[in-house]
Amino acid sequence: MSRHLAKEVLSIEAEGIQAVRDNLGEEFEQAVNLIMACPSRLVVTGIGKSGLVGQKISATLNSTGTPSLFLHPVEAMHGDLGMVAATDVVLAISYSGETPELNRLLASIRERSIQIIAICGNTDSTLSRHAAVTLNVAIPREACPLGLAPTTSTTATLAMGDALAVALLNRKHFKAEDFRRNHPGGSLGARLKVAVREVMLAGNKVPQVPMSASLADAVAELNAKNLGAVFVTGKKGALLGIVTDGDIRRMLSARQNFLEVTLAEAMTPHPLAIASDLMAADALSIMQQHEITVLAVISGQGDLVGILHLHDLLGKGEFRFLI
């Protein structure tokens, strides 16, 4: 019963985001242009659930190259309004557009000739009338069966914030190295900064056999190193192919003459590989995209120098698929 209800909630929330997507118009481009022209910060404000969503939107903006701060409407009216500069742009969030604490604040902000962007579900509201641009997040219904608790509406608002952040990221040509500079500490920062050569296995830990070896030799190496794959190399160490546990299992079930299969028949030529001077983040991205757990590491000349296993990247929980 609970599982069916959960599916219904997710369907309703997906329906809400689809409605917001379908209603998206030129006002989104106007909002992006307004923020791009801002010489200082985007001040995000809202109260209650909208305030909590606003804090997340502000955090996402900061990490993706758009300077932002969150301003609580009540604290603003008791002195924190001094945080807002005349050159700032305000992003105000209220689904109803009639939140008294927020609208009182916006009247003071307008007196300072500060531009306001609204994220609102009611374009005929006080908030919308205060705003230079309104991003409409009207949804057909809340997932709450009572229609009272903000559920679909907060999801739609959060999605609109993400859309803004990504659009701004794209306009600013924000790169992975910029993201790393904004995340110098913590597990995410560590994951993005570690070079492949720092986490790869090298030397005799790398499962490999020469092209002249037999399939039996490859299976023995596969079992000895226990990493789920063995690489096939040329005379000077050039990476030629890979044989995985899965390859062996499939051949055992499909070939009656398994012992007569050659290494050249068994291997997958030109396997995916990564250069040792690239980042662990790049390796994670390749593994996720191709749904693999091992990756060859090569030198600039294409020689096999190491192996990356997903477990080595995940470590003790310091690495996650976030790309």
Side-chain angles (χ1 to χ4, degrees):
M1 178 64 182
S2 296
R3 179 162 53 92
H4 296 306
L5 181 58
K7 288 184 176 181
E8 183 180 356
V9 169
L10 294 172
S11 295
I12 293 171
E13 300 216 352
E15 171 190 85
I17 291 179
Q18 184 64 51
V20 172
R21 179 184 181 278
D22 291 344
N23 288 330
L24 200 66
E26 285 299 316
E27 67 280 353
F28 187 84
E29 198 69 39
Q30 294 167 13
V32 171
N33 291 338
L34 200 57
I35 298 169
M36 287 295 296
C38 174
S40 50
R41 302 163 304 182
L42 183 63
V43 178
V44 182
T45 186
I47 198 167
K49 305 296 186 299
S50 293
L52 294 172
V53 171
Q55 291 178 56
K56 190 275 177 186
I57 292 173
S58 180
T60 300
L61 289 165
N62 278 321
S63 69
T64 53
T66 300
S68 174
L69 66 86
F70 178 78
L71 179 67
H72 193 286
V74 176
E75 297 298 335
M77 297 302 289
H78 291 273
D80 281 0
L81 191 53
M83 298 164 61
V84 183
T87 53
D88 291 339
V89 170
V90 170
L91 178 66
I93 304 171
S94 168
Y95 186 74
S96 70
E98 299 296 346
T99 306
E101 299 91 341
L102 181 61
N103 288 337
R104 281 196 294 270
L105 167 64
L106 296 182
S108 298
I109 286 174
R110 283 193 65 189
E111 289 175 2
R112 302 181 180 205
S113 300
I114 295 171
Q115 296 274 41
I116 298 168
I117 300 169
I119 296 183
C120 183
N122 180 5
T123 56
D124 187 28
S125 62
T126 303
L127 170 57
S128 188
R129 288 191 291 272
H130 275 307
V133 180
T134 297
L135 299 176
N136 187 4
V137 290
I139 47 111
R141 52 181 171 157
E142 296 284 9
C144 168
L146 302 176
L148 299 174
T151 46
T152 311
S153 58
T154 49
T155 300
T157 301
L158 187 60
M160 181 64 79
D162 287 341
L164 265 180
V166 172
L168 290 164
L169 177 154
N170 183 64
R171 286 278 293 271
K172 294 180 181 209
H173 305 292
F174 192 80
K175 305 296 184 187
E177 54 267 27
D178 301 313
F179 190 79
R180 287 195 290 273
R181 279 195 293 271
N182 288 345
H183 295 79
S187 59
L188 177 58
R191 177 181 64 79
L192 290 171
K193 291 190 291 184
V194 171
V196 165
R197 62 177 173 271
E198 296 181 54
V199 289
M200 72 181 189
L201 297 176
N204 60 11
K205 295 181 180 179
V206 181
Q208 58 182 304
V209 293
M211 191 67 198
S212 58
S214 67
L215 183 57
D217 294 331
V219 173
E221 180 74 350
L222 193 66
N223 289 334
K225 301 296 170 61
N226 197 30
L227 289 173
V230 58
F231 298 117
V232 182
T233 58
K235 291 182 180 179
K236 295 183 179 180
L239 177 64
L240 301 179
I242 185 174
V243 180
T244 68
D245 282 338
D247 293 332
I248 299 298
R249 288 196 302 272
R250 283 187 288 274
M251 280 188 291
L252 279 170
S253 61
R255 300 284 294 267
Q256 292 182 347
N257 59 338
F258 173 75
L259 294 177
E260 298 176 14
V261 176
T262 66
L263 188 57
E265 290 179 281
M267 77 176 191
T268 299
H270 312 298
L272 291 168
I274 189 169
S276 61
D277 59 347
L278 292 181
M279 308 305 287
D282 300 314
L284 282 167
S285 181
I286 293 171
M287 288 182 174
Q288 183 182 41
Q289 181 182 355
H290 296 278
E291 298 182 348
I292 58 176
T293 57
V294 294
L295 188 62
V297 183
I298 56 174
S299 67
Q301 292 72 44
D303 297 335
L304 181 68
V305 295
I307 182 173
L308 273 176
H309 193 284
L310 182 60
H311 292 165
D312 297 315
L313 292 177
L314 293 176
K316 296 181 179 179
E318 294 180 1
F319 296 91
R320 293 288 184 271
F321 275 145
L322 295 174
I323 299 301

